[in-house]
Amino acid sequence: MSSEVFVPGWLQQLLVVLLRFALSCAAPVNLTNGTECSARGPASYILVFTGHWSPQTFPKQYPLFRPPAQWSKLMAVTHNKQYRLWQEGAPASDGMKSFAEQGLTVDLVKDAKEARKRRAVGSMYRSAGIPSGIGHSSTELLLTPRTPLLSLIVKVIPSPDWFVGVDSLNLCEGGQWKQEVTFDLHPFDAGTDSGFTFSSPNFPTTPPENITMITSQKPNHPVNSFYYPRLTELPPLATVWVKRQGRTPVRQQNRVSNHILPDTSKPNRFSETPLDCEVSMWSSWGLCLGPCSRGGLRHRTRYILLKPANSGTPCPELEEQEECMPHNCLAYQ
């Protein structure tokens, strides 16, 4: 006699449905698309970018003309983890290359619009450029629980491919929107141009390198405009201040605004950065000149490569002399 138990077809189907339901309940539910933000409703913010690029904090090769030190327009994107405007240690995209080298946003906007179709990007914002190294610009932001991350970039002008920015700042912690965030910005190299100075000519990096932070000793080359070997770290080149507002931002057709800087976010005074004098190598000794009776003198010189600033080490002597025997005197001996 067979030991198999007969199970009606309808009961088999019911068991399959119940099993699928149990598995779906046991699996984690992802409602935030990887951003882990469960806040109720959107949040409105004001973003203020402040430049601190001055001859006092960055005296080396400070650009005074053609063009003077200034900042490009700011581009900000709200998004989730499925999108990246830029990332330290990763290669720059074509859009990022165009922005870092020329300040163009066309390709970046195109990429962000494609990501918005996938619901990875919420909105894009811009603020006006700053015509000097010190100043501020601002814009209003609207973030949603689906896209609670903020990324932004501003090009350093003039420069080969240098910029400052923020990568994927999360303004939502669990179910709460952050009320206020302030942080310093330091320069980055996009890795697409090999120039060392602010005014370096275009010299493409082949093959392109990854995006890296520029420090007081990296690149470790005295020609580098940000090379300050006496400093353990560079002063902030700029700061960003983000504060939540109680109202929805006014919709602007071009999404560009320029608010008055609130008193609470005025930039602090940073100490002056000392810049030591740099001189060239000594030249070869000149001819020995003078009467044979008293002996002669010969000279050598060097010149200033970089003038000191902000109480830096002063320049040493630029001329040196020593006694010698004239060549014509040696002939008579």
Side-chain angles (χ1 to χ4, degrees):
M1 182 175 180
S2 175
S3 60
E4 296 181 0
V5 179
F6 175 75
V7 179
W10 64 269
L11 184 57
Q12 291 181 358
Q13 294 179 0
L14 178 61
L15 290 174
V16 171
V17 172
L18 291 175
L19 181 60
R20 289 178 177 175
F21 178 76
L23 291 175
S24 64
C25 293
V29 180
N30 186 359
L31 297 178
T32 60
N33 202 12
T35 57
E36 300 177 357
C37 179
S38 57
R40 294 186 177 180
S44 173
Y45 287 89
I46 178 173
L47 182 152
V48 179
F49 171 88
T50 304
H52 305 300
W53 188 15
S54 71
Q56 288 71 42
T57 52
F58 297 93
K60 187 174 183 179
Q61 304 169 5
Y62 187 82
L64 297 175
F65 51 88
R66 296 182 182 179
Q70 57 188 279
W71 300 96
S72 75
K73 56 181 172 288
L74 176 148
M75 179 176 177
V77 181
T78 62
H79 59 95
N80 57 35
K81 292 183 179 179
Q82 308 305 316
Y83 171 84
R84 216 64 181 261
L85 180 62
W86 68 279
Q87 181 181 3
E88 183 179 3
S93 64
D94 291 340
M96 195 62 206
K97 178 180 184 296
S98 297
F99 182 86
E101 293 185 4
Q102 305 175 55
L104 302 177
T105 61
V106 176
D107 292 335
L108 287 176
V109 171
K110 181 179 179 180
D111 293 341
K113 286 183 177 180
E114 289 297 321
R116 187 161 56 187
K117 295 178 181 179
R118 307 190 305 268
R119 307 184 74 180
V121 164
S123 299
M124 291 168 284
Y125 302 87
R126 291 186 305 163
S127 69
I130 304 174
S132 61
I134 299 177
H136 73 272
S137 63
S138 62
T139 186
E140 291 180 317
L141 311 172
L142 183 65
L143 287 93
T144 66
R146 181 179 291 275
T147 55
L149 305 181
L150 172 65
S151 293
L152 63 88
I153 46 175
V154 185
K155 175 175 170 55
V156 177
I157 301 176
S159 73
D161 59 344
W162 301 341
F163 68 97
V164 296
V166 175
D167 174 28
S168 304
L169 172 67
N170 194 346
L171 291 174
C172 177
E173 287 185 348
Q176 299 293 327
W177 291 106
K178 294 181 180 179
Q179 294 300 315
E180 185 174 355
V181 179
T182 303
F183 47 91
D184 297 329
L185 301 180
H186 296 277
F188 282 88
D189 188 324
T192 61
D193 194 292
S194 298
F196 271 120
T197 66
F198 295 120
S199 58
S200 293
N202 183 33
F203 188 71
T205 302
T206 306
E209 299 176 352
N210 293 336
I211 297 174
T212 57
M213 178 182 287
I214 300 173
T215 68
S216 60
Q217 300 180 42
K218 183 181 178 182
N220 189 12
H221 196 292
V223 177
N224 179 23
S225 294
F226 285 113
Y227 183 70
Y228 294 91
R230 287 179 54 179
L231 301 181
T232 55
E233 63 180 9
L234 291 174
L237 195 59
T239 56
V240 164
W241 177 71
V242 182
K243 184 175 178 61
R244 189 180 180 188
Q245 301 182 98
R247 61 182 179 83
T248 303
V250 178
R251 182 177 294 275
Q252 299 177 341
Q253 186 173 0
N254 58 359
R255 291 193 182 277
V256 175
S257 59
N258 212 7
H259 298 269
I260 297 175
L261 184 65
D263 293 338
T264 56
S265 62
K266 286 182 178 178
N268 299 322
R269 289 186 175 272
F270 300 103
S271 59
E272 294 183 342
T273 300
L275 185 65
D276 298 336
C277 178
E278 295 182 10
V279 296
S280 67
M281 301 290 290
W282 284 110
S283 66
S284 301
W285 286 105
L287 294 176
C288 184
L289 303 175
C292 296
S293 58
R294 296 196 305 268
L297 293 174
R298 62 178 184 175
H299 296 76
R300 65 177 181 176
T301 60
R302 56 187 174 185
Y303 55 91
I304 297 175
L305 296 174
L306 186 65
K307 293 183 178 180
N310 304 332
S311 301
T313 303
C315 294
E317 293 293 332
L318 301 178
E319 184 176 353
E320 191 175 61
Q321 66 180 23
E322 68 175 12
E323 295 182 354
C324 59
M325 180 65 69
H327 294 286
N328 59 339
C329 297
L330 294 175
Y332 293 128
Q333 291 182 353

